[in-house]
Amino acid sequence: METNLKAFMKPELKERKTMEFPGIDKYVDEKGKPIPFIIRRLTRKELDEIRALYKTTTVYRDKQSGNPVLTADGQVAVMKEYDSDRAGRHIMVDAFVQPKLDDKELMKYYGVLDRVDMPFVIFPDRKDFQYADECLSIALGLKEQKNEREMVEDLKN
């Protein structure tokens, strides 16, 4: 049986477009309407590469000799850590197109040197940060999108 490969050729998988979400009341245009968020849909590879930046592995060492500690089965004992908060903010900075969180002018205005700190500056309120993070999760396909009415109700609360 021959498989039709065209069925697996999906343009939406090849071209990772952006998604638009309603903005927050803190940032409005000249007419007083919230400026929408535009979020780029990162690929799985991009996400994995960012997450890898925040994973560390440390070898346990004997305090007296400095030699690596071995487990019962003879393996070197290691401690693996992952800074999920920092990785998440890095993902947010890379994905947000509007506002462009790592814009040099914006960072200079706020006096921020580390681009990964920008989400806390632009979304300082917990509610605003959670909303931006929820939009990001939807754009990345990690969460189901609510219908527009549910989103408006969430913004009101």
Side-chain angles (χ1 to χ4, degrees):
M1 178 185 282
E2 196 167 316
T3 305
N4 180 0
L5 290 179
K6 292 222 185 267
F8 294 98
M9 296 178 187
K10 301 289 184 190
E12 65 271 14
L13 296 178
K14 185 177 178 185
E15 302 167 16
R16 303 294 291 184
K17 299 193 186 242
T18 59
M19 290 183 75
E20 188 171 311
F21 297 88
I24 56 176
D25 292 335
K26 183 177 293 205
Y27 303 111
V28 294
D29 62 16
E30 30 320 306
K31 296 178 184 174
K33 296 173 99 178
I35 298 170
F37 293 159
I38 299 174
I39 302 173
R40 184 171 68 93
R41 301 180 68 212
L42 302 176
T43 64
R44 173 71 71 188
K45 181 180 178 193
E46 289 172 305
L47 292 173
D48 287 347
E49 288 171 354
I50 292 169
R51 289 180 179 131
L53 296 172
Y54 298 95
K55 293 179 182 179
T56 57
T57 302
T58 308
V59 174
Y60 280 116
R61 297 195 173 272
D62 182 90
K63 290 182 183 180
Q64 291 178 342
S65 69
N67 293 331
V69 174
L70 299 178
T71 61
D73 61 355
Q75 298 294 316
V76 174
V78 295
M79 179 173 63
K80 295 184 179 204
E81 294 183 37
Y82 176 62
D83 189 345
S84 61
D85 288 341
R86 197 157 171 77
R89 292 194 319 269
H90 186 141
I91 290 168
M92 185 179 280
V93 170
D94 281 9
F96 264 76
V97 174
Q98 182 174 286
K100 182 164 174 39
L101 297 174
D102 61 351
D103 180 80
K104 288 183 188 337
E105 185 179 346
L106 194 61
M107 289 177 65
K108 183 178 178 182
Y109 177 81
Y110 285 110
V112 175
L113 300 176
D114 187 346
R115 64 195 289 273
V116 177
D117 292 335
M118 283 303 291
F120 285 149
V121 173
I122 299 298
F123 309 116
D125 299 333
R126 182 182 180 113
K127 185 175 93 174
D128 292 343
F129 186 89
Q130 285 177 329
Y131 173 69
D133 193 49
E134 183 175 322
C135 293
L136 177 65
S137 294
I138 292 167
L140 297 177
L142 304 173
K143 189 173 185 178
E144 290 287 320
Q145 185 168 11
K146 295 180 180 181
N147 65 38
E148 194 169 318
R149 184 175 169 196
E150 288 175 293
M151 288 179 89
V152 170
E153 286 301 316
D154 284 351
L155 285 173
K156 287 181 182 177
N157 295 329

